[in-house]
Amino acid sequence: MTNVLQVESVSIRFGGVQALTDVNFSVGKGEIVGLIGPNGAGKTTLLRIIAGVLAPDTGRVMLDGQNVTRLPTAARIAKGLAITHQIVRPFRSMTVLENTALAAGHKITANPLTAIFHWRRAAENSRAAAILAKVGLGGMEDRAVSALPLGHLKRLEVARALAVDPSVIILDEPLAGLNHREAEQQADTLAALNAEGLTTVLIEHNLREVMRVCKRLLVLDGGRIIADGAPAEVMADKAVREAYIGKADDHAAA
């Protein structure tokens, strides 16, 4: 299996706190992997290193076999990385379609000179509409983003990430704040996208849905990967249960 994302021996310290220690894992092409762990485990720090917001003290991040450890976030996006955020950040003055079309035209708008002369947007709008249909927002293209409920905003966040043509998408708590039915529908959408070949990493506290849609789990605790394997095997691990399950039961039952 070809690895799309590799994190190799990544460590980082903040003052006297060792936030991550020798973190190693890879994600193969077409996988859907759940990254779980209790609050304070280091998930956000790891995500920020993968995104290029933080530079590790040691180790490296690889995308499609290329070392991107010292590249800025925009360069990583250009190389196939997409990340959604727990707190959605669409352009609220735009419509649903405009938000997605802007991301779909990222290769054009990244170059101001090209953007000035690219006045025909039919291709971007058409592609954006197709993506919105995939995430369950078909028919809402002209809706104002400011009028969308949280469940639809979460779907829009996924649509905007898909619009940049990612080879791997990392979703930061895409089910947070959703009720049971909304979380189930969102998880089904992510599983369907993965079934089409999209390599997916799901950072999430909702264990019920993570267990249902992910074929593999990574568990981070105390800044270290303590388990990596099939969900049932990982959840049966004593160290995982002690570090995580007791703290996560409330989230899983929500």
Side-chain angles (χ1 to χ4, degrees):
M1 183 183 294
T2 303
N3 289 327
V4 178
L5 172 67
Q6 291 173 265
V7 174
E8 301 178 351
S9 303
V10 163
S11 298
I12 190 170
R13 175 184 291 271
F14 300 113
V17 177
Q18 188 70 38
L20 295 174
T21 303
D22 196 30
V23 173
N24 288 275
F25 67 88
S26 61
V27 180
K29 183 176 177 60
E31 277 197 289
I32 180 167
V33 178
L35 175 61
I36 66 173
N39 290 332
K43 300 186 299 296
T44 298
T45 299
L46 178 58
L47 177 63
R48 295 177 75 188
I49 287 175
I50 294 171
V53 178
L54 291 174
D57 296 332
T58 60
R60 63 181 187 171
V61 177
M62 307 283 288
L63 284 175
D64 286 321
Q66 300 179 66
N67 188 348
V68 299
T69 311
R70 303 302 165 185
L71 293 183
T73 301
R76 300 185 193 206
I77 293 172
K79 290 184 179 295
L81 176 67
I83 294 177
T84 70
H85 300 280
Q86 179 183 356
I87 300 174
V88 293
R89 299 180 179 90
F91 293 98
R92 293 185 178 271
S93 62
M94 295 182 176
T95 65
V96 170
L97 182 68
E98 288 169 340
N99 263 273
T100 311
L102 183 64
H106 71 101
K107 292 180 181 177
I108 297 162
T109 55
N111 185 322
L113 184 60
T114 304
I116 290 172
F117 293 101
H118 188 85
W119 58 274
R120 299 182 65 178
R121 301 178 181 175
E124 287 79 16
N125 286 345
S126 176
R127 183 163 172 273
I131 292 171
L132 290 169
K134 277 189 176 184
V135 302
L137 292 178
M140 298 184 183
E141 293 86 354
D142 295 328
R143 290 278 299 274
V145 169
S146 58
L148 294 182
L150 179 61
H152 288 166
L153 286 172
K154 292 275 189 176
R155 290 175 177 270
L156 177 59
E157 185 79 355
V158 175
R160 296 201 310 152
L162 293 177
V164 302
D165 294 316
S167 58
V168 57
I169 183 171
I170 302 177
L171 302 115
D172 185 17
E173 298 197 35
L175 312 183
L178 304 182
N179 63 37
H180 173 72
R181 181 57 180 158
E182 290 171 333
E184 186 178 67
Q185 291 173 336
Q186 178 80 317
D188 285 343
T189 296
L190 300 178
L193 293 170
N194 172 254
E196 294 181 358
L198 179 63
T199 305
T200 306
V201 178
L202 180 61
I203 302 173
E204 182 55 59
H205 280 294
N206 188 326
L207 279 181
R208 178 188 289 114
E209 295 304 326
V210 171
M211 291 282 289
R212 186 170 70 86
V213 302
C214 292
K215 304 296 191 297
R216 175 182 161 213
L217 295 184
L218 294 163
V219 184
L220 190 67
D221 184 53
R224 299 175 183 269
I225 296 290
I226 63 169
D228 178 355
E233 296 174 1
V234 166
M235 290 306 182
D237 187 284
K238 182 180 178 181
V240 172
R241 299 184 68 84
E242 290 178 351
Y244 183 77
I245 299 299
K247 301 176 184 179
D249 280 344
D250 291 341
H251 292 286

